[in-house]
Amino acid sequence: MANVPGIPVYKEIGATPAPATPADSARVVIVGAGPVGLAVALDLGRRGHEVVVLTRLDFIAHASKAICFSKRSLDILDRLGVGDPAVGKGVTWNVGKVFWGGAGEPVYQFDMLPVKDQKRPGFINIQQYYVEEYLLDGVRKLPNVEIRWGHRVDAVSPTNDGVELAVTADVGGAYTLRAEWLIACDGARSTVRDKLGLDFEGRVFEDNFLIADVRMKHEMPSERWFWFDPPFNPGRSALMHKQPDDVWRLDFQLGWDIDRAAAIRPENVEPFVRAMLGDDVEFEREWYSVYTFQCRRMARFVHGRVVFAGDSAHLVSPFGARGCNGGFADADNLGWKLDLVLRGEAGADLIETYNEEAVATADENILNSTRSTDFLTPKSTASQALRDAVLELARDHAFARPFVNSGRLSTAVHYPASPLSTPDADRWGDGVAPGSPVLDAPQGDGWLLDAIGDAFVLLARGWKGPVPAGLRLVEVEGLAADRLGLTEGAVALVRPDQYVAARWKAPDAAAVEAALQRAKGGSAWAT
């Protein structure tokens, strides 16, 4: 096993030997076998493409990373065939509560699934390594996806028609690997980004937070609890989340000028835990760490045939659960577009729309994370007074509660200006507009999103027109049609990532065909 100091092991895999020849090739190479890299590999693999995944580790890490997975991410995992094990293992929650000071009652609470009758909950909490394991199980069922464990990227050299990598395997040594496309999913310290001389732009916040993942038998609701200025961490904030296996995520604001190494020593962490939980609660250490808020991204996510996704492309503060969920949004957006390019059904310029939409997602996540961080950690007397006034008003006045920002939690991002969408020609009072994801609802004996799947579909309510080649027609009714805003005879064109691309009250076949070609990047690219 590769010796990687400071990274505990969840599941040993073992190193993959280097190829038998010193020069190798693959159509798609993914660097990084975290949740985002595995999701892209699984998506492309399920679509029939040959994929090679490189990871410097030869194990799944047992570390305190992402734990909160949003409704939108669960829908994506469902589309990839791994939603059931994740939800089955995870702790389901929809309600979050915000406390202030020593008050026993919350000043505000919210519901992450305000629209009911959907297959999946607003959120689940589950350790990232479980999600990686389920994605890996899905990948292992595909003979066309190969994961090379213990393979380190040493150099990245773009070419006119692809990328050439210098790789060193723990077993077998160095070789070169040529790829038509390289997807960099290798995290915040991305080797690919570094080798190309690219960097992040954005802001680092002057504050530190302690994560204490502890194992304990403690009966509390499966809710997100957040405190401003609690008696057990006066003048600062704290957070509590339940995870599977009797593990709880406790998060404490520490301030800026601290000794980070000392902060995670057990004798310094345990007083925080005892102050929050009480002296009579028994617990065991699972993982202690300190992190600093960052809200940064690359200027562009697409550089020729090199595409960045997840933390390699953007970083946000953990409050709001926008890191891994944002990475899944990247994977969801990229997979079907690269599929069309690889099949020759779209030109390489379609990947530029990934850059546009993924940057829009990152910017929304960064905006929300920045606002959350500024609210959580006021840096002036005036901003502190404003925050406290909002919290005071929120106790009794509903209008103030939306201004309470303990980390605006991740939701699906909309693309109202997407170049792939066809603007409405009809007047719509409600429903799902082009550039927005379909809202789940009961459909027959199952669920609408399951019925849509991962290809272009036409959702119709009583429409009898001809269906263009390559499209599947799904008849919807009742609540599903109502949520889409479809009246009798109306239809909606849905992309493979389950976003609406166009809709009509009464379309003709030519309009549907034109919108389909636009959603693929342009009619000139269609075959």
Side-chain angles (χ1 to χ4, degrees):
M1 184 186 305
N3 181 20
V4 184
I7 303 181
V9 176
Y10 166 66
K11 175 170 285 190
E12 297 184 14
I13 305 293
T16 306
T21 59
D24 196 14
S25 64
R27 295 203 74 186
V28 179
V29 172
I30 298 170
V31 180
V36 178
L38 290 173
V40 176
L42 183 54
D43 197 357
L44 291 174
R46 284 163 58 92
R47 297 180 190 278
H49 301 291
E50 293 188 358
V51 179
V52 171
V53 181
L54 305 177
T55 172
R56 68 186 181 94
L57 304 180
D58 62 0
F59 57 87
I60 297 176
H62 188 293
S64 183
K65 298 181 179 179
I67 64 164
C68 300
F69 293 85
S70 69
K71 167 70 167 59
R72 178 63 187 157
S73 290
L74 299 180
D75 294 340
I76 294 169
L77 292 177
D78 270 342
R79 189 178 60 75
L80 296 176
V82 296
D84 285 345
V87 174
K89 179 68 175 179
V91 174
T92 294
W93 66 276
N94 292 316
V95 174
K97 293 179 178 178
V98 177
F99 300 86
W100 184 32
E105 294 297 318
V107 297
Y108 174 56
Q109 72 178 51
F110 53 87
D111 188 343
M112 288 306 300
L113 194 71
V115 179
K116 307 303 179 185
D117 294 314
Q118 300 192 66
K119 179 180 179 181
R120 295 308 187 194
F123 266 85
I124 67 167
N125 286 354
I126 184 172
Q127 293 88 331
Q128 178 176 310
Y129 47 81
Y130 285 128
V131 176
E132 292 177 4
E133 182 178 29
Y134 304 146
L135 290 166
L136 179 59
D137 288 343
V139 166
R140 282 173 162 168
K141 297 175 183 177
L142 302 173
N144 49 320
V145 179
E146 177 189 2
I147 300 181
R148 298 180 181 177
W149 301 88
H151 286 232
R152 184 184 71 249
V153 173
D154 298 318
V156 181
S157 303
T159 65
N160 290 333
D161 58 353
V163 187
E164 185 173 286
L165 303 174
V167 183
T168 299
D170 290 344
V171 176
Y175 65 98
T176 60
L177 177 60
R178 287 187 57 85
E180 291 183 30
W181 291 90
L182 173 63
I183 315 301
C185 304
D186 50 343
R189 298 180 177 87
S190 170
T191 298
V192 176
R193 191 181 65 241
D194 178 65
K195 298 301 181 183
L196 291 177
L198 302 171
D199 202 358
F200 281 141
E201 300 172 355
R203 180 178 171 190
V204 177
F205 292 84
E206 294 187 357
D207 216 323
N208 291 289
F209 291 79
L210 167 68
I211 285 179
D213 280 0
V214 299
R215 192 181 298 270
M216 62 182 180
K217 300 286 187 180
H218 193 50
E219 294 300 323
M220 292 185 66
S222 299
E223 301 172 343
R224 178 187 192 263
W225 285 17
F226 187 94
W227 288 266
F228 290 99
D229 191 21
F232 51 82
N233 195 22
R236 298 194 170 110
S237 63
L239 174 70
M240 175 186 286
H241 263 303
K242 184 178 182 179
Q243 304 174 60
D245 308 328
D246 296 320
V247 176
W248 292 75
R249 166 69 53 87
L250 312 180
D251 203 309
F252 303 91
Q253 183 185 358
L254 297 179
W256 181 240
D257 189 17
I258 66 167
D259 182 333
R260 293 169 64 92
I264 60 174
R265 292 174 188 153
E267 64 269 22
N268 294 326
V269 174
E270 290 174 5
F272 281 99
V273 178
R274 295 255 174 243
M276 174 188 274
L277 302 177
D279 291 334
D280 58 338
V281 175
E282 295 183 2
F283 66 90
E284 298 177 1
R285 172 184 176 176
E286 182 81 2
W287 178 268
Y288 297 161
S289 62
V290 170
Y291 65 90
T292 300
F293 278 177
Q294 298 185 52
C295 289
R296 302 193 291 162
R297 70 166 173 85
M298 299 176 68
R300 288 182 51 80
F301 299 170
V302 177
H303 293 264
R305 294 296 186 94
V306 182
V307 183
F308 291 84
D311 284 355
S312 70
H314 45 76
L315 290 173
V316 292
S317 62
F319 286 106
R322 294 174 179 271
C324 192
N325 290 305
F328 277 149
D330 292 347
D332 192 47
N333 193 287
L334 177 61
W336 69 273
K337 294 175 180 178
L338 188 54
D339 170 57
L340 292 179
V341 173
L342 292 169
R343 293 182 185 281
E345 297 183 30
D349 287 349
L350 180 60
I351 304 303
E352 181 61 24
T353 70
Y354 164 76
N355 181 73
E356 294 179 29
E357 294 182 344
V359 165
T361 297
D363 283 347
E364 179 164 321
N365 286 333
I366 287 171
L367 175 64
N368 279 280
S369 290
T370 300
R371 287 175 174 173
S372 296
T373 305
D374 286 337
F375 194 85
L376 290 171
T377 61
K379 295 300 188 292
S380 69
T381 302
S383 58
Q384 176 85 43
L386 176 61
R387 189 194 75 178
D388 290 351
V390 169
L391 291 169
E392 183 67 44
L393 287 168
R395 294 182 192 275
D396 303 309
H397 302 283
F399 81 88
R401 290 166 190 160
F403 297 101
V404 176
N405 196 337
S406 64
R408 292 272 188 267
L409 285 151
S410 177
T411 56
V413 174
H414 302 255
Y415 310 124
S418 172
L420 303 182
S421 297
T422 298
D424 286 334
D426 304 307
R427 297 187 65 180
W428 295 79
D430 53 14
V432 180
S436 295
V438 173
L439 189 62
D440 200 14
Q443 168 74 8
D445 295 331
W447 298 95
L448 178 59
L449 294 184
D450 288 341
I452 291 173
D454 58 1
F456 281 101
V457 300
L458 203 60
L459 303 181
R461 188 172 197 169
W463 185 64
K464 305 301 181 184
V467 179
L471 269 183
R472 180 168 55 90
L473 181 69
V474 175
E475 182 70 25
V476 295
E477 56 187 27
L479 185 59
D482 291 342
R483 287 181 174 173
L484 287 160
L486 299 183
T487 54
E488 188 67 23
V491 302
L493 174 65
V494 178
R495 304 180 345 181
D497 56 359
Q498 301 180 339
Y499 273 70
V500 172
R503 58 181 179 170
W504 305 266
K505 295 286 189 179
D508 56 44
V512 176
E513 178 66 32
L516 175 61
Q517 301 311 327
R518 179 169 182 164
K520 291 183 175 183
S523 59
W525 295 340
T527 57

